[in-house]
Amino acid sequence: MRRFAVPVAVLTGALVLTGCGSDDAKAQLSVSSAYMPQPVSDMAAGFLDIANKGGAKDELTSVTSDLGPVSVHETVGQAMEEVTSLAVPAHGQLVFKSGGNHLMFDKLKHTLKQGDSVTVKLHFAKSGPLTVEMPVKSATYNPTTGH
């Protein structure tokens, strides 16, 4: 009976280590600080933070909303451009803030006012989609998170 104890212990230890490693080898995404300043036209911007506590990077590849078309924009220096994806680094975050990366809502299907909420779905290259409720804040809202 003792001759099986060591191989079983080694095998069990290997399975435990494999299990621990596999969790860290995936992206673990969460969203915080989401909001949209009240739009003054049929266009609007959206801001949020995507945190990745996992050991693998991922990419935001698109955003959808029932409100209308949404595109992802990157700001480098003073130039804003639409991009097809943005990296969400392992053990890091992707920040969308005023003057930086942001979501652009085009041709809003209806008027939004402070207190409303917009539902968006974030799509990623590797992880499943995340649905986010984005509250509409005043046009001059300045969050304490710095974006």
Side-chain angles (χ1 to χ4, degrees):
M1 198 62 138
R2 283 189 94 163
R3 64 182 173 164
F4 294 112
V6 172
V8 169
V10 170
L11 180 60
T12 303
L15 290 173
V16 169
L17 289 175
T18 301
C20 289
S22 67
D23 285 346
D24 198 46
K26 296 179 182 176
Q28 297 175 20
L29 305 177
S30 63
V31 177
S32 63
S33 306
Y35 78 97
M36 173 190 285
Q38 182 175 332
V40 295
S41 70
D42 68 343
M43 294 177 61
F47 307 106
L48 51 87
D49 293 339
I50 303 172
N52 182 357
K53 294 185 180 181
K57 69 178 181 173
D58 206 337
E59 289 182 42
L60 176 68
T61 56
S62 67
V63 180
T64 55
S65 174
D66 290 341
L67 192 58
V70 184
S71 55
V72 178
H73 287 241
E74 179 178 50
T75 302
V76 179
Q78 299 298 316
M80 172 184 77
E81 66 180 55
E82 185 175 342
V83 294
T84 57
S85 66
L86 285 174
V88 185
H91 302 292
Q93 64 179 347
L94 172 60
V95 176
F96 290 81
K97 63 181 182 176
S98 183
N101 299 333
H102 60 279
L103 303 179
M104 183 61 69
F105 295 78
D106 257 342
K107 301 176 183 154
L108 300 175
K109 291 184 179 180
H110 61 272
T111 304
L112 296 168
K113 61 183 184 314
Q114 186 177 341
D116 289 343
S117 185
V118 175
T119 303
V120 296
K121 189 175 276 192
L122 308 175
H123 302 271
F124 298 91
K126 298 176 185 171
S127 302
L130 293 175
T131 300
V132 178
E133 289 297 317
M134 187 173 281
V136 177
K137 302 287 189 174
S138 74
T140 58
Y141 178 69
N142 188 14
T144 57
T145 59
H147 68 274

